[in-house]
Amino acid sequence: MAKNSIGSTITYFFLGEYFSDALRTTITVVLPIILFFYLGNPEAAKGIGVGALLISLTDLPDNRLNKLKTALSSIIVFFCATLVVSSVLYNPYLTAVIVVLAAFSCSMFAVYGQKLSLIGTMALIVCTFVMGLHPARPLYFSSYILVGGVWYYIISLIQILIRPYRSLHHAIFECLMSSAVFLNAKAKNYDVDVPLDLQQKEAIKLHIKVNQKHELIRNLLLTDKYAMNPDNPKGQLLLERARLLIDLYEQLNAVHYDYALVRSTLATGTSLKLIANLIELLAKELEELGRHVRSAKAYKGEVATNIEYYQKRLMLLQEMELLNETQRKIVLKVVSNMNDIVRIIEMIRGNERTPEKHLQELSGAISYPLFITGDRFSIKEHLTLKSPIFRFSLRLAICFLFGFLLIWQLEPSKYSYWLFLTLVIVARPKFSITWKRNLQRLKGSLGGVVIGLVMIYLVKSPAVLLSFSAVFLLGFYAFNRLNYTVSVLFITPAVILTLGSYQGHFDHIVHDRILFTLLGCVIAIFATYLFPIWDSRQLKEKINKATHNSLQYLKVAIERKENLGENISRMARKNANLSLSALSEAIDSASQEPMRKHLDFNALYGVQSTIYQINAIITSIYLSLNHKPGQADPAVVNQIVNNLSNEAVPPDTATLKLDEIDQENDHSTKQKLVHIEALSVAFSHFNGAFRRKSSS
């Protein structure tokens, strides 16, 4: 089974979006280089090739209209950056001033959102390439960069016109695959050999990943006016799939128990093992469904008629006859939850649609623009040291200034621009990401140098070396969005072989590649202490936001969405998930920061875990058909609000209360709220412990 899984993964990779995009991009970049070198115009070959190479990195998955906007913005910014920098290269001091200003200005593009932030980063990389290539004719070279950008985006836009929903299908596929991994993790809750604390940490990481996939789908689909047109059947099908994916994730997360109690309650018999096996079979079906869901055709898979699944399900139902009332209620709830998962899988698999009348009611009730993550467009509010974007932009500009001062003290080299290139790539706003990027860059570069040296030693033909460099370029594009270390491992030998074949002096190229990469990494690390952005100092705020959004979600679940409206209900659910993801990412980032010794990470992980469990139980109330408004005990709800809102630390009764609940296991709203109350006491304890240590 493992071999088949590996084989399927490899097959998918070569037939999937990443590799096909990489192949298309590599051909688009290499073709004009070969053509213009053949025609005897090396300046055009370099300019158009570099233009296509760099602008391709701004081309992220998106819909038609947004991709056209990105194309126009990238082409204009690249042309202007190239023209300005190439026009001042005659004066090294003026060049330094212009490029330092560009470092600040391009980094400030982040104010206008993620897409323009990426364009700004790539424009800064264009500036570094221009310094390295040092074109003799600025206007001609800028025009070649312009042609390269236009050429690349013509091919890219033709592809999206032919297959407009390709990226969306792939995003849905990745969401299903991540959901399958998450479901497998849920199965471990019923495996007595797996420690629950380790499983909980794994589940939270997967929770973050699945939510990221949901956010990508929302941004791809809800911003696409063509897909959202009610008269577009393909778009409406994709919208329905997106809804089903969110429903699926709710079901995956809805039933949350005190799993230690479940394990002890069902310790005798085979119930635990059968439940784990059934969940693993559902995860396997999700994987199979994911591999076929990129097609608009209905996929008749295995689960509905899967003999093994229904045999195990029948065995579990037979096992129930031997259980007592408490045990039986646990198993019944798990079986009901699995039935709901199977129903949603069936609907996705068969392209089933919500009844037309209900679909029209939903379409009229839901304001989809509310669910798109907005970008920040006010430049004025970011022109202050309180703004993380301004602080990082200022820091990067100072890094560039220091870089110029440093290389003026060293022996002149045509490859010194690699220092600035490294700075742009590895310097990130946060310490943890900068540190991670440094390690990835160094490992990939050193490994790539070894590969390049081996190729130079074994192959003497420049034509063959250039052919290998094209293959390495393909590898870079294929892994660029998957694994940065591997992508650097490919691009490094591609650069060495290309420059060495064209200019000679392989030893000089390798020496400078290592030297300036190391210098750039060292500068980037030390610069993080200049106008730092520490996640450890934002943890209290993120905890407060996560608990606030959880309480809003609880309010929605208690009142029921029918009374509050679809928009309020769905936004409350989304905000609770996203704020927990943001908190989890901040904790992970803070664990790598220099002041991590001053933080109580056991308490932080306790905070994270209890909020995750609380949200899961709230989802169970939200989805419960038996819940009615007015069933919630106001005293219990008020106590939950106090525990999640108050910084005071109650007596250490959290463990006792958690042990006392779930005895009846009636899964009523009352019992679920009691469970949340116990978890809120535990949260208050963990939160108090964290605040005491961080303030000491």
Side-chain angles (χ1 to χ4, degrees), residues 63 121 160 174 251 338 345 433 486 511 523 540:
N63 56 58
T121 300
I160 199 171
E174 288 197 327
Q251 292 296 340
M338 287 191 288
I345 291 175
I433 304 177
V486 176
H511 170 271
I523 293 171
K540 292 180 183 179

Side-chain angles (χ1 to χ4, degrees), residues 251-413:
Q251 292 296 340
L252 299 185
N253 216 27
V255 178
H256 187 90
Y257 295 101
D258 178 352
Y259 288 108
L261 182 63
V262 170
R263 288 181 178 188
S264 62
T265 304
L266 299 178
T268 58
T270 59
S271 298
L272 285 175
K273 185 175 181 181
L274 287 170
I275 290 171
N277 289 342
L278 283 167
I279 294 174
E280 287 166 357
L281 286 170
L282 289 177
K284 180 182 176 183
E285 168 62 17
L286 275 180
E287 288 183 11
E288 291 300 318
L289 179 61
R291 298 182 193 281
H292 293 82
V293 80
R294 288 173 294 164
S295 168
K297 298 178 181 178
Y299 159 57
K300 298 303 179 185
E302 296 181 357
V303 152
T305 57
N306 188 304
I307 296 175
E308 185 180 4
Y309 177 82
Y310 280 102
Q311 283 179 339
K312 292 282 177 69
R313 184 176 180 275
L314 180 60
M315 290 170 63
L316 180 60
L317 294 176
Q318 291 172 344
E319 176 75 12
M320 281 177 53
E321 301 300 323
L322 307 175
L323 303 178
N324 60 39
E325 187 65 21
T326 300
Q327 294 171 324
R328 191 177 296 117
K329 286 181 178 179
I330 292 177
V331 175
L332 275 174
K333 188 63 179 176
V334 174
V335 170
S336 174
N337 182 235
M338 287 191 288
N339 289 341
D340 289 332
I341 293 172
V342 169
R343 176 183 57 80
I344 295 171
I345 291 175
E346 288 293 314
M347 292 182 71
I348 298 174
R349 187 174 62 188
N351 286 345
E352 292 183 26
R353 299 280 298 279
T354 302
E356 197 65 30
K357 181 180 178 182
H358 181 57
L359 191 61
Q360 289 173 359
E361 292 172 355
L362 276 178
S363 300
I366 300 174
S367 178
Y368 290 108
L370 291 175
F371 298 89
I372 303 169
T373 301
D375 294 329
R376 296 156 289 180
F377 293 105
S378 176
I379 189 71
K380 290 183 179 180
E381 68 183 43
H382 288 280
L383 293 177
T384 169
L385 282 174
K386 294 181 180 180
S387 166
I389 295 174
F390 183 84
R391 293 165 74 88
F392 173 68
S393 302
L394 195 57
R395 183 203 306 166
L396 189 60
I398 293 172
C399 285
F400 266 64
L401 178 59
F402 182 80
F404 276 109
L405 295 174
L406 180 62
I407 62 173
W408 288 341
Q409 306 304 315
L410 301 175
E411 183 179 343
S413 170

Side-chain angles (χ1 to χ4, degrees), residues 142-264:
S142 302
S143 300
Y144 292 138
I145 292 287
L146 177 68
V147 171
V150 171
W151 156 249
Y152 172 81
Y153 264 112
I154 285 175
I155 302 300
S156 179
L157 290 170
I158 287 174
Q159 182 189 48
I160 199 171
L161 286 173
I162 296 172
R163 298 183 63 189
Y165 306 119
R166 179 170 171 270
S167 293
L168 187 52
H169 280 302
H170 185 77
I172 291 172
F173 156 78
E174 288 197 327
C175 188
L176 277 168
M177 299 299 279
S178 297
S179 299
V181 176
F182 181 75
L183 189 53
N184 262 320
K186 297 286 281 187
K188 294 177 184 177
N189 286 316
Y190 304 94
D191 185 346
V192 294
D193 296 325
V194 179
L196 281 173
D197 56 340
L198 294 178
Q199 194 283 329
Q200 195 75 275
K201 289 180 180 179
E202 180 188 5
I204 292 172
K205 288 181 180 179
L206 294 171
H207 163 84
I208 296 171
K209 189 172 182 179
V210 175
N211 271 285
Q212 288 172 341
K213 302 302 180 186
H214 285 165
E215 190 69 4
L216 175 60
I217 291 172
R218 276 192 286 262
N219 287 328
L220 284 174
L221 178 60
L222 302 185
T223 60
D224 191 336
K225 294 180 180 179
Y226 300 102
M228 295 299 292
N229 187 333
D231 297 327
N232 183 341
K234 287 186 178 179
Q236 291 303 298
L237 172 62
L238 290 168
L239 181 60
E240 184 65 15
R241 280 184 175 175
R243 287 201 198 102
L244 289 172
L245 282 172
I246 293 173
D247 289 346
L248 174 65
Y249 181 68
E250 285 182 337
Q251 292 296 340
L252 299 185
N253 216 27
V255 178
H256 187 90
Y257 295 101
D258 178 352
Y259 288 108
L261 182 63
V262 170
R263 288 181 178 188
S264 62

Side-chain angles (χ1 to χ4, degrees), residues 63-127:
N63 56 58
R64 286 167 286 189
L65 182 59
N66 287 343
K67 187 161 286 199
L68 178 61
K69 292 178 181 177
T70 300
L72 293 174
S73 302
S74 302
I75 291 167
I76 293 169
V77 171
F78 275 36
F79 174 76
C80 294
T82 305
L83 183 60
V84 171
V85 174
S86 60
S87 299
V88 300
L89 288 175
Y90 66 89
N91 186 325
Y93 301 106
L94 184 57
T95 300
V97 171
I98 293 297
V99 174
V100 168
L101 288 174
F104 176 80
S105 303
C106 291
S107 299
M108 286 297 292
F109 279 23
V111 170
Y112 299 101
Q114 184 181 6
K115 293 170 188 174
L116 274 174
S117 175
L118 177 61
I119 292 172
T121 300
M122 293 312 305
L124 197 49
I125 290 176
V126 168
C127 295

Side-chain angles (χ1 to χ4, degrees), residues 29 48-57 122 129 473 476-477 491:
V29 171
I48 296 174
V50 168
L53 172 69
L54 298 182
I55 209 166
S56 67
L57 298 175
M122 293 312 305
F129 266 79
L473 181 63
F476 163 72
Y477 280 120
I491 196 62

